[in-house]
Amino acid sequence: MAAETAQGERWKPIANPWLIAATVALAAFMEVLDTSIANVALPHIAGNLGASTDQGTWVLTSYLVANAIILPIGGWASSVVGRRNFFMICIVIFTVSSFLCGIAPTLPLLLVCRVFQGIGGGGLQPMAQAIMADSFEEKKRGQAFALYGLVAVLAPSVGPTIGGWITDNYSWRWIFYINIPVGILALVLTQRLVQDPPWIKADRKNLFKLDYIGLGLLTVAMGGLQIALDKGEENDWFASNFIRFFAFLFVIGISGLIWWEWRHKNPIMNLKLFRFKNFAICCLLMMLVGGVLNAATVLQPQFLQQLLGYTATNAGMALTAGGVALVIVMPLAGVATGKFPARNLAAIGFGFFAAAYYYVSTHITLDMSFGEASLLRVLQMIPIPFCFIAITNAAYVGLPKEASNQVSGLINFVRNVGGSIFIAVTGALVTNRSLFHQARLVDHMQPGSPAYASTVHGLGGFFGGGAQGGMMARASIYQQLNQQAAALGYEDVYRMLCWMSIGMVCCAFLLSKNRPGQGAPAGEAVH
């Protein structure tokens, strides 16, 4: 559906659409980078501020909760101050908060600043995507979303590398300071290049039309979900009253949110968009894409650091080749969206995902080299552009142009939620499957086993013989057993991601077959 003016001509921005896309992508990159750049710096932050490692994880949680709450309200905020102005306000809040995070003298103050940083950042992703969608005609949207996709998936990939290098060579505070010049540049460019289309009209009267009940329910739901996911494993999940309480908050909050938003005249989240079959399926697929992307981004450096002894910087560097592959493939995928139906590209992407994760599950070993680790990352990155761009592009097809803010907000919302869920679930699965394999392998460490006795005897001689040498030999064997069990746990999780990707191939064909670069197929809405 072309964005048209009252005279029937398609509205076009004054500035070159590619300059606009680059400008908003710069701001979005800065924000997405901050979701992962602090991960490897948590021990340094906690130690410097006199906090425990567990307390340090709230640096991530506080940001993600605030970010998730703000993501869906961009449509309302744009109706009050205009989309461009809201985007600029978010840049200012994010940049100022980044400076305050850098100078924070205590953990509580840092957490407060991270909340404000999450509030500012939460408006950048959906607004950047919506601005791109309205600045390009439909047949060129795929190429524009390729740029946005590069931002959305490259930033989390390079975040650990940048964060590790800065932390190891300078100070963790600089992971926040680097946002300041980028934020200033993005603010100046936005003010000069970006403009609102005629159907987005700012009205201060809408300030009092905010769905406060919906916002409150969303806050309860996302706060409960994020805290339960982040703290679940260390508190033994539902065996803990703490986790049960926040899980209960999530269930109550999300149930109330769905009931209220469906009936409210001006909802903070327009859930009635899910009546459109394509949009509903795109949200499901994007949640899964966000999940597998974020899970893989956490799993591999975790494996390299815990089992292969990589430093934070080296583990991040092993992901760099994947980022390079992404830069090469993303424009190609953007061009392909203008030539092939979205569901075909998505199905191909998920098929590559399945093949990549199966390959990873058979090659992630304790004697894996740096080059092999880089290759595994490349294989996981190649399918992402085809899935991400095709799904993002298909989500807008057939929807009113006035809904672009809500569409971008919901698509980014479900992607972030999928990432949070998959990171927590795959982390827990690695632990559980490692314990399972450990129990199986221990069966072979019985004193009556000839192979075990021979190994203990040989290692015991290496450690000096006698009772002390035998004890050290058994400890060494047990350590190797734990490492092998953990590696098998990672294999199981990657194999699970493979099977899930196969299921996503089937889901992709549920999308209506659109004509590339043109409007929606008939029969979009489901009543």
Side-chain angles (χ1 to χ4, degrees):
M1 179 182 299
E4 297 179 352
T5 63
Q7 288 75 31
E9 298 179 355
R10 186 189 182 279
W11 173 82
K12 294 182 179 180
I14 296 176
N16 187 305
W18 285 108
L19 290 177
I20 296 173
T23 296
V24 297
L26 176 66
F29 183 87
M30 173 180 68
E31 191 276 326
V32 180
L33 187 70
D34 249 57
T35 61
S36 63
I37 195 173
N39 292 15
V40 295
L42 289 182
H44 298 267
I45 295 174
N48 184 256
L49 298 181
S52 67
T53 302
D54 289 346
Q55 291 173 326
T57 60
W58 289 102
V59 173
L60 300 179
T61 305
S62 57
Y63 180 89
L64 291 173
V65 170
N67 197 269
I69 292 168
I70 297 300
L71 271 172
I73 72 169
W76 166 80
S78 297
S79 72
V80 176
V81 298
R83 186 166 64 192
R84 186 191 72 161
N85 290 339
F86 175 59
F87 192 73
M88 293 173 64
I89 290 171
C90 288
I91 294 175
V92 171
I93 294 174
F94 186 87
T95 305
V96 172
S97 299
S98 295
F99 172 74
L100 295 176
C101 286
I103 65 172
T106 64
L107 183 63
L109 285 176
L110 175 59
L111 296 182
V112 171
C113 296
R114 281 288 279 177
V115 168
F116 281 103
Q117 193 184 33
I119 290 173
L124 293 178
Q125 284 190 64
M127 292 302 100
Q129 187 173 312
I131 290 170
M132 286 185 182
D134 287 337
S135 298
F136 288 82
E137 56 187 16
E138 287 191 4
K139 64 182 180 181
K140 293 184 178 180
R141 275 183 183 173
Q143 299 174 44
F145 287 146
L147 178 60
Y148 178 78
L150 186 64
V151 166
V153 297
L154 181 61
S157 301
V158 302
T161 306
I162 297 174
W165 185 83
I166 290 175
T167 302
D168 289 344
N169 292 278
Y170 295 97
S171 165
W172 62 266
R173 297 183 184 276
W174 279 98
I175 66 177
F176 298 113
Y177 291 149
I178 61 173
N179 292 329
I180 297 173
V182 179
I184 293 173
L185 177 61
L187 182 65
V188 172
L189 292 176
T190 301
Q191 196 276 330
R192 290 179 176 273
L193 299 175
V194 178
Q195 62 181 136
D196 288 341
W199 56 84
I200 295 181
K201 302 183 184 300
D203 188 349
R204 299 296 189 273
K205 295 180 181 178
N206 291 328
L207 178 64
F208 305 101
K209 295 181 180 180
L210 177 62
D211 178 14
Y212 290 102
I213 294 179
L215 180 61
L217 291 169
L218 178 64
T219 302
V220 171
M222 289 301 99
L225 175 65
Q226 195 65 56
I227 292 172
L229 290 174
D230 284 1
K231 299 297 180 180
E233 189 171 357
E234 68 185 65
N235 287 279
D236 198 20
W237 294 100
F238 293 104
S240 164
N241 289 331
F242 177 82
I243 298 301
R244 284 200 295 264
F245 172 74
F246 283 102
F248 175 76
L249 282 185
F250 167 69
V251 172
I252 293 299
I254 199 68
S255 300
L257 180 68
I258 293 171
W259 180 85
W260 176 263
E261 296 298 275
W262 195 265
R263 291 162 175 77
H264 199 267
K265 183 179 179 181
N266 297 301
I268 195 173
M269 298 174 69
N270 186 5
L271 300 183
K272 291 184 179 179
L273 289 175
F274 286 98
R275 286 177 171 174
F276 291 84
K277 186 191 74 169
N278 257 32
F279 178 73
I281 296 172
C282 284
C283 283
L284 171 63
L285 293 176
M286 186 58 80
M287 177 180 286
L288 297 175
V289 169
V292 296
L293 168 64
N294 284 277
T297 301
V298 171
L299 286 174
Q300 185 163 333
Q302 182 176 282
F303 177 88
L304 296 175
Q305 288 178 274
Q306 293 181 353
L307 298 183
L308 302 189
Y310 281 40
T311 64
T313 302
N314 289 339
M317 288 298 293
L319 306 183
T320 303
V324 174
L326 202 62
V327 172
I328 296 171
V329 176
M330 190 68 78
L332 302 178
V335 173
T337 57
K339 300 181 180 296
F340 302 98
R343 72 177 188 178
N344 293 5
L345 288 178
I348 291 171
F350 291 137
F352 276 121
F353 259 133
Y357 284 130
Y358 177 77
Y359 185 86
V360 173
S361 71
T362 59
H363 288 76
I364 187 166
T365 61
L366 294 175
D367 58 354
M368 182 172 62
S369 68
F370 182 89
E372 291 171 326
S374 298
L375 174 61
L376 296 185
R377 184 60 177 174
V378 169
L379 294 177
Q380 295 172 62
M381 289 290 102
I382 289 176
I384 288 175
F386 298 97
C387 300
F388 189 94
I389 300 173
I391 295 169
T392 303
N393 204 34
Y396 289 86
V397 172
L399 295 180
K401 58 183 180 294
E402 296 83 1
S404 60
N405 290 335
Q406 281 279 356
V407 171
S408 59
L410 286 170
I411 282 288
N412 282 278
F413 176 76
V414 297
R415 178 168 57 84
N416 284 13
V417 169
S420 297
I421 293 173
F422 272 60
I423 288 173
V425 170
T426 53
L429 283 174
V430 166
T431 301
N432 291 337
R433 296 303 297 174
S434 298
L435 292 174
F436 169 79
H437 289 295
Q438 183 188 63
R440 296 283 297 274
L441 293 174
V442 164
D443 290 341
H444 299 283
M445 291 181 61
Q446 302 304 321
S449 169
Y452 174 66
S454 174
T455 305
V456 170
H457 178 73
L459 280 176
F462 175 79
F463 287 120
Q468 182 69 20
M471 184 172 64
M472 293 179 67
R474 285 188 289 271
S476 176
I477 294 172
Y478 188 68
Q479 181 183 19
Q480 294 177 44
L481 180 147
N482 284 337
Q483 289 182 320
Q484 188 61 49
L488 291 172
Y490 280 97
E491 287 182 15
D492 289 348
V493 171
Y494 276 111
R495 198 169 291 114
M496 180 205 72
L497 293 176
C498 168
W499 284 108
M500 182 172 296
S501 299
I502 293 174
M504 291 158 68
V505 172
C506 301
C507 290
F509 283 107
L510 295 176
L511 289 169
S512 300
K513 187 175 182 180
N514 67 299
R515 297 179 63 186
Q518 297 187 24
E524 281 288 327
V526 177
H527 297 285

